[in-house]
């Protein structure tokens, strides 16, 4: 008997009136776990019952502890008829199963009913006594910690990063079972909620088992999603990165990077020999059956399950071919590959890494596949879905290989379902990682093994191309890195990860979004799927062009946190790409945008073109000023004349290579800024220009980004406001053209942003961080956009300063000089290595391309467009102009008074004390605070339904209160775990179905995050402060009505 | 292109005090948007109508959801649905329970019943306060009345504790409850010149000196009902006008004290004493204020007394009674005249 679960029902408050005659309620509580149910006594005639029950004890397997939630039902006793349910609380026991997390769950939980929403609160105490179980064949994975955070959690260091873990479980959706016809909506909703709780518990347990198998103790970047496939079932799937985490001594603060932390050198393995096989644990999926075995249950034949080839984003341009393949790079690649290739999927869901982990970034890789759904016949064998994902992951893997990379970071998966069509998408960033982290033992960066030391300075190293210049996977313009002048860099870099903390940038970042709406014919089955999959490459291409143009318009050269979502509806496809643009000083300055007319001579057109050109140039200038993008002078110099210094260095570097002079000259000439040429006769271009110019920049004092931190802002103050916004637009005119539709969609997104700026204007100067947009087509003619983000204030006076710990451009180049010696040592082997590497990578790549003929047309398109790129030059001579913030004189009160860290046990309230403040943020940190403990993962799923939509204020009123209720329930659970904040919060799903004619509406929301305890950075003591933040008068009895 | 749904929810409540006031004042969303746009504060932000509309809608919905909680403000502090910083909670409550003086002046002393509620449209038309706002204010009065009605202890304190109001507002509510309970007549044309603050001050005086609570502070309704025993004792003051000797003596004392300064008119004395002796009658209690005006303030005014004259007169009138050796009801006299004096001071406008 591995565990004993104990629960105590203390009291209730604010219960609804269940007996109209007496205006009171006779409440009692049922506590259920697994198949065991206990009941409290009836507390008669009270809206604030004090049950103060005994401890209900459940003796259960730890497997059940992981799978099952504790289910608490509050009922109204009725002598003559059936007892009426007031509502339920589901409590996830999982956080009690780790040794370091919460030891008790205790607090007020909102009593939730799927029809009425929150109906009062209940105070509950839950404890678990876990017995040690040494059974090796156990099915549970208690003790494996889960984090939503996509970086190494604060206060921990990653001893080993094992790699990718994935799992999915399927079941029938209760909503579509026959019994649903005869049961009440409430019963159906509850069945669904409970099932999903169970499934996600099971999923987490199974993933935990895999992690244990690999030797890890935690999952970081845990991403769990639901696919509501309707008739064909319900899929819960999750991916994550298995790690072995070690807790840092509590003394080290937030800013302590794992590398500076005291490392245990005891286990320093002799890793000098790169060939020595690291890690025996491979990440193995349990369902590894070949695709075809599942074909019988798959209605769609293989011919039609078209996988759309990846967009390998890395910018366009006529390729310059250099012969130099960084010798070190090759060496490194070989060594790391051995470590990584043993893994089925060298994927990492992390988006930011300890410094030194990420060596080079290749570019974005993505794969999409359109599938037809069919009923899942046997829930115990989810092979079909597994095979689908396997296919996609293989594709991603091969794309990464084509980019000369052995790993994919910032990896994520998503789906979009409409009726029976499902688009599966996966994307990530191809990268080369430092092999040290893959191996046991050699963890500390100050390690002895110098050969593995990344030769490139960390501020620009990740920009250096990982692929072979001779066999570039796409046309790109390479130049020598503007930082170290030693390695090649692309002209533009797209990634799905966060900006590395030590990257050298100029100015601030900015939120860039490409939006696209495409009509499609309504269709059925395979024809429909084919039509969709034929459209996908064009959409990706268009989105890419838009991103490129917008990036140039802001005179930036890199995108981080790129997320492309393609959503399918019955009669349209929506594409939304969001990213944060940055000017990386290591990359060449972006060229401008040039407008050209096809029919020269026409005076009107010329004038028109001139006008547009002027507007674009003005916008670029304005943006430069706004984002404070002032690339260092050196860009100008390089463009003007080849300066001797870089050449000198490159010569030093490749003294044996005869062609070095030629090469460097060639490259420098390519350093000239190329302008994008947009031809206005082209309708697409008109549209592009239009969308370019309609994008309003945020008002003064506002910045926005979709990454964890805003590049260029470092001095956050502690005020923050997390928010969720949902907007649904009904297209009134069914016969819209693509262009009109695009405009509608663009306006929708733009207006949302404008709304945010307006609503949050009291927080200026402020930055909207982690802006996550998700689009859906819930019905024909409806477009839904849901956004979750956080607004954070910063101190505007110091925005220019970078904290001292961050490397500054100048300091970096000095450091490079010191590194040069070690670099030279390796040059001997350069020529040999470069050849072998080119062969190596050449073979898989060609096969990779040939296997996918379908993509050729699309790749050709890309090239065609690339040809239109001509040279132009836009002088970028604007100097710094500090931004003048106009601080609004409107109410300037911060929306959140700081709740001080509270002693969580003692302030846990009964009766009338006030509610403790729980902060929520989609980021992994809270500015001005230090996270001292992770108390558990939050993963909740709620359904809300109404049959009196009008009375609840229409759809908006309904959803408004539901979102507020979800926040409230998350906060309550966090507080009960002893936490005072949720980090890495995200709303995974928000599925809204309405039927205004029937006065009905249903909504499903899935949220997740990490519950934490934080303390203010200024506070020294960890706990023990019982600051009373309540109103003095709140201590009065709450029961008086 | 219709916006089918548009919500914005923050983890911490998002509200602007300006919009809250518009909501309280009963503006519809569209009118509120108009006011905000005209307000000009938004110009610097270059906000379009749709942005302001969406913001206003969100806030209106938030307020509507909060309204249920505001009905019992103590719940606001420990509810879980909204995360509201304490200072915001205080603002929400204080503003919700705030009222328009012009409106309250109309319902003061009226029975807080359905009947009165039906007249709200007339009051709204008369005062210019929007009907929605009238309803909220009226319901607030009724709610406070109902809760306080059955509680023991001091009225102001009870209101402050149960509704978490500021001291000033709690006192005003106490006055409203007091007026409603005793149904003082305040609507007559002659009383129209009195503001709510004048009457609230008088109510405060009555509560502090004439109620049961002024003597004993642990009875129900102690601050709402007038002290019956005291009212009975007031009858004894009749000697001041029925006893000829006493009357003359009193008159001469007052006149000596006032010599040369003001006219010495002891008809006023008859009026004041008559008010006192009739207070055992509920009907006459209701007419208390009208009596004060008719029997004292109006005669003074017709004689063109200044406020200073009147003060001087009342002071000497009260004090001289102490010198009368045959007058035995000094304590009752003080309790009575203390209140009368301060009420008249307040009610006598130059």
């Amino acid at each position: 008997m591995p565990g004993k679960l104990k629960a105590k029902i203390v009291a209730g408050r604010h219960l609804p009136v269940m007996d109209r005659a007496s205006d009171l309620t006779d409440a009692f509580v049922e506590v259920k776990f697994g198949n065991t149910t206990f009941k409290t006594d009836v507390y008669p005639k009270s809206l604030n019952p004090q049950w103060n029950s005994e401890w209900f004890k459940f003796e259960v397997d730890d497997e059940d502890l992981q799978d099952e939630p504790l289910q608490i039902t509050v009922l109204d006793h009725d002598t003559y008829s059936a007892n009426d349910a007031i509502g339920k609380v589901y409590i996830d026991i999982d956080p009690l199963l780790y040794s370091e997390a919460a030891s008790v769950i205790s607090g007020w939980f909102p009593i939730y009913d799927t029809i009425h929403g929150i109906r009062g609160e209940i105070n509950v105490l839950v404890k678990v006594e876990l017995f040690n179980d040494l059974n090796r064949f156990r099915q549970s994975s208690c003790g494996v910690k889960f984090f939503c955070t996509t970086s190494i959690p604060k206060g921990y260091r990653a001893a080993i990063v094992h790699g990718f873990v994935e799992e999915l479980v399927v079941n029938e959706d209760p909503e579509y079972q026959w019994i649903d016809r005869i049961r009440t909506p409430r019963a159906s909703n509850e069945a669904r909620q409970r099932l999903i709780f169970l499934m996600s518990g099971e999923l987490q347990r199974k993933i935990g088992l895999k992690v244990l198998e690999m030797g890890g103790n935690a999952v970081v970047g845990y991403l769990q999603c639901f696919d509501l496939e309707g008739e064909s079932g319900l899929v819960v799937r999750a991916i994550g990165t298995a790690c072995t985490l070690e807790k840092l001594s509590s003394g080290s603060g937030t800013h302590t990077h794992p590398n500076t932390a005291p490392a245990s050198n005891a286990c320093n393995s002799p890793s000098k020999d790169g060939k020595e096989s690291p890690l025996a644990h491979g990440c193995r999926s349990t369902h590894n059956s070949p695709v075809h075995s599942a074909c019988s249950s798959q209605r769609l034949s293989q011919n039609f399950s078209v996988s759309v080839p990846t967009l390998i984003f890395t910018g366009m341009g006529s390729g310059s071919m250099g012969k130099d393949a960084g010798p070190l790079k090759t060496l490194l690649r070989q060594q790391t590959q051995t470590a990584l290739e043993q893994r089925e999927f060298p994927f990492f869901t992390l988006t930011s890494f300890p410094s030194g982990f990420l060596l080079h970034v290749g570019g974005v890789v993505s794969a999409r596949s359109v599938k037809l759904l069919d009923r899942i016949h046997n829930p115990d064998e989810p092979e079909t879905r597994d095979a689908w994902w396997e296919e996609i992951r293989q594709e991603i893997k091969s794309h990464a290989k084509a980019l000369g990379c052995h790993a994919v970071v910032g990896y994520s998966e998503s789906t979009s379902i409409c009726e029976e069509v499902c688009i599966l998408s996966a994307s990530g960033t191809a990268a080369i990682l430092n092999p040290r982290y893959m191996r046991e033992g050699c963890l500390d960066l100050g390690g002895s093994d110098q050969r593995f030391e990344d030769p490139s300075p960390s501020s620009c190293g990740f920009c250096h191309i990982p692929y072979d210049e001779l066999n570039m996977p796409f046309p790109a313009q390479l130049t020598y890195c503007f930082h170290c002048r030693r390695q090649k860099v692309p002209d533009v870099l797209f990634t799905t990860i966060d900006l590395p903390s030590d990257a050298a940038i100029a100015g601030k970042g900015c939120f860039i979004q490409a939006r696209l709406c495409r009509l499609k014919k309504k269709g059925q089955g395979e024809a429909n799927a084919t039509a969709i999959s034929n459209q996908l490459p064009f959409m990706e291409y268009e989105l890419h062009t838009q991103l490129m143009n917008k990036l140039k318009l802001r005179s930036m050269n890199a995108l981080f946190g790129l997320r492309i979502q393609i959503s399918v509806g019955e009669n349209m496809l929506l594409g939304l790409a969001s990213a944060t643009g940055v000017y990386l000083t290591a990359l060449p300055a972006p060229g401008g945008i040039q407008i050209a007319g096809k029919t020269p001579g026409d005076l009107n057109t010329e004038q028109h073109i001139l006008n547009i050109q002027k507007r674009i140039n003005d916008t670029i200038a304005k943006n430069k000023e706004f984002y404070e993008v002032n690339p260092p002078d050196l860009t100008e110099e390089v463009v003007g004349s080849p300066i001797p210094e870089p050449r000198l260095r490159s010569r030093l570097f490749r003294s044996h290579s005869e062609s070095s002079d030629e090469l460097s000259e060639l490259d420098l000439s390519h350093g000239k800024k190329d302008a994008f040429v947009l031809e206005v006769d082209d309708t697409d271009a008109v549209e592009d220009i239009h969308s370019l110019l309609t994008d309003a920049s945020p008002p003064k004092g506002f910045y926005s980004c979709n990454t964890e931190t805003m590049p260029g802002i470092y001095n956050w103050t502690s005020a923050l406001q997390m928010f969720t916004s949902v907007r649904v637009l009904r297209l009134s005119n069914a016969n819209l053209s693509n262009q009109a539709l695009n405009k509608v969609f663009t306006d929708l997104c733009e207006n949302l942003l404008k709304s945010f700026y307006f609503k949050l204007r009291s927080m200026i100067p402020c930055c909207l961080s982690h802006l996550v947009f998700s689009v859906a087509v819930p019905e024909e003619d409806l477009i839904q956009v849901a956004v979750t983000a956080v607004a954070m204030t910063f101190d505007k006076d110091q925005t220019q300063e970078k904290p001292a710990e961050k490397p500054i451009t100048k300091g970096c180049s000095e450091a490079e000089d010191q590194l040069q010696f070690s670099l030279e040592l390796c040059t001997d082997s350069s020529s040999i290595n470069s050849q072998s590497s080119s062969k190596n990578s050449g073979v898989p790549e060609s096969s990779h391309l040939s296997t996918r003929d379908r993509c050729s047309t699309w790749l050709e398109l890309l090239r065609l467009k690339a040809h239109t790129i001509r040279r132009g030059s836009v002088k970028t001579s604007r100097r710094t102009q500090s931004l003048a913030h106009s601080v609004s004189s409107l109410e300037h009160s911060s929306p959140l008074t700081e709740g001080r860290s509270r002693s969580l046990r003692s302030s846990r309230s009964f009766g009338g004390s006030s509610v403790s403040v729980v902060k929520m943020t989609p980021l992994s940190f809270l500015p001005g605070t230090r996270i001292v403990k992770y108390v558990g993962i939050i993963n909740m799923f709620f359904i809300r339904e109404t049959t009196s939509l009008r009375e609840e204020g229409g759809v908006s009123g309904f959803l408004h209160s539901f979102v507020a209720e979800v926040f409230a329930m998350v906060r309550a659970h966090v507080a009960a775990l002893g936490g005072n904040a949720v980090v890495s919060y995200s709303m995974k799903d928000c599925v809204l179905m309405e039927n205004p004619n029937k006065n009905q509406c249903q909504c499903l929301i899935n949220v997740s995050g990490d519950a934490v305890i934080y303390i203010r950075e200024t506070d020294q003591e960890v706990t023990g402060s019982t600051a009373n933040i309540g109103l003095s008068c709140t201590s009065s009895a709450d029961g008086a009505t | 292109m219709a916006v089918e749904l548009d919500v914005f929810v923050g983890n911490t409540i998002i509200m602007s005090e300006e919009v809250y006031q518009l909501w309280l004042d009963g503006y519809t969303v569209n009118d509120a948007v108009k006011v905000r746009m005209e307000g000009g504060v938004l110009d610097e932000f270059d906000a379009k109508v749709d942005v302001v509309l969406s913001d206003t809608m969100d806030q209106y919905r938030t307020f509507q959801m909060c309204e249920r909680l505001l009905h019992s403000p103590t719940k606001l502090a420990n509810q879980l649905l909204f995360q509201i910083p304490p200072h915001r909670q205080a603002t929400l409550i204080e503003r919700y329970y705030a009222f328009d003086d012009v409106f309250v002046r109309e319902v003061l002393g009226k029975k807080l019943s359905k009947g009165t509620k039906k007249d709200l449209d007339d009051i709204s038309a008369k005062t210019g306060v929007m009907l929605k706002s009238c309803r909220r204010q009226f319901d607030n009065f009724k709610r406070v009345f109902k809760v306080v009605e059955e509680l023991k202890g001091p009225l102001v304190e009870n209101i402050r504790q149960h509704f978490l109001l500021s001291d000033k507002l709690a006192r005003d509510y106490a006055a409203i409850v007091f007026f409603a309970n005793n149904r003082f007549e305040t609507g007559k044309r002659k009383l129209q010149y009195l503001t709510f603050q004048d009457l609230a001050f008088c109510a405060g005086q009555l509560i502090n000196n004439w109620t049961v609570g002024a003597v004993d502070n642990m009875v129900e309704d102690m601050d709402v009902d007038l002290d019956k025993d005291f009212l009975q004792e007031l009858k004894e003051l009749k000697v001041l006008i029925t006893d000829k000797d006493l009357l003359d003596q009193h008159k001469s004392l007052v006149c000596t004290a006032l010599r040369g300064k003001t006219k010495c008119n002891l008809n006023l004395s008859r009026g004041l004493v008559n008010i006192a002796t009739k207070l055992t009658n509920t009907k006459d209690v209701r007419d208390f204020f009208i009596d004060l005006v008719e029997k004292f303030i109006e005669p003074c005014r017709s004689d063109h007394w200044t406020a200073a004259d009147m003060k001087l007169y009342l002071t000497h009138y009260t004090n001289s009674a102490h010198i009368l050796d045959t007058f035995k009801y000094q304590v009752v006299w003080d309790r009575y005249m203390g209140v009368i004096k301060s009420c008249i001071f307040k009610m006598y406008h130059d």
Side-chain angles (χ1 to χ4, degrees), chain A residues 406-420:
Chain A
H406 59 233
V408 175
V409 294
Y411 179 74
S412 65
E413 295 175 347
S414 63
T415 57
S416 168
I417 298 171
C418 175
E419 301 290 327
E420 51 179 1

Side-chain angles (χ1 to χ4, degrees), chain A residues 13-14 108 121 721-732 755-759 761 890-891 893 895-897 913 915 918 920 955-957 960-961 964-965 967-968 971 992 994 1029 1031 1033-1034 1036 1038 1040, chain B residues 1-17 36 41-42 44-45 47 50-52 54-55 58 61-62 65 72 74-75 77-83 85-89 147 161-162 164:
Chain A
R13 67 182 184 197
H14 309 333
W108 288 100
E121 289 127 35
Q721 171 71 269
M722 193 281 297
F723 62 86
T724 289
S725 180
V726 184
R727 210 171 262 198
V728 176
L729 205 67
R730 184 176 289 280
L731 306 171
S732 48
S755 252
F756 301 158
Y757 297 138
F758 179 73
K759 278 172 211 282
R761 66 194 182 287
L890 296 167
E891 45 160 353
S893 53
L896 226 171
T897 45
S913 73
V915 180
V918 175
M920 288 166 85
V955 225
S956 295
H960 193 135
S961 56
E965 280 165 355
F967 285 174
R971 285 193 304 258
L992 189 78
E994 53 163 332
I1029 51 157
L1031 282 171
C1033 40
T1034 55
S1036 66
D1038 61 304
Chain B
M1 282 342 97
V3 176
E4 182 95 356
L5 177 159
D6 178 21
V7 296
F8 179 96
V9 191
N11 180 37
T12 308
I13 199 167
I14 296 175
M15 58 170 277
S16 108
E17 295 192 11
R36 293 183 80 185
V41 224
L42 310 169
E44 59 185 275
F45 218 80
D50 54 340
V51 171
V52 181
S54 143
D55 179 52
D58 277 320
R61 270 198 302 271
T62 308
M65 282 186 252
S72 43
T74 45
K75 268 191 192 167
N78 58 20
Q79 51 85 31
L80 301 177
L81 186 57
F82 295 105
Q83 187 152 276
H87 73 275
R88 272 281 145 87
Q89 289 182 21
V147 167
Q161 277 199 4
H162 280 88
L164 309 178

Side-chain angles (χ1 to χ4, degrees), chain A residues 1031 1033, chain B residues 20-21 24 70 73 76 86-99 136 140 159-160 163-173:
Chain A
L1031 282 171
C1033 40
Chain B
Y20 187 48
Q21 195 55 53
L24 288 174
L70 285 166
L76 199 67
H87 73 275
R88 272 281 145 87
Q89 289 182 21
T91 319
L92 280 173
I93 297 168
E94 191 77 5
R95 291 279 190 89
Y96 189 78
Y97 282 89
F99 48 77
R136 170 182 60 85
N140 282 344
I159 293 173
R160 207 166 44 196
F163 292 91
L164 309 178
L165 300 178
S166 67
D167 189 58
K168 166 82 177 66
L169 201 52
R171 277 178 201 289
D172 285 348
Y173 268 95

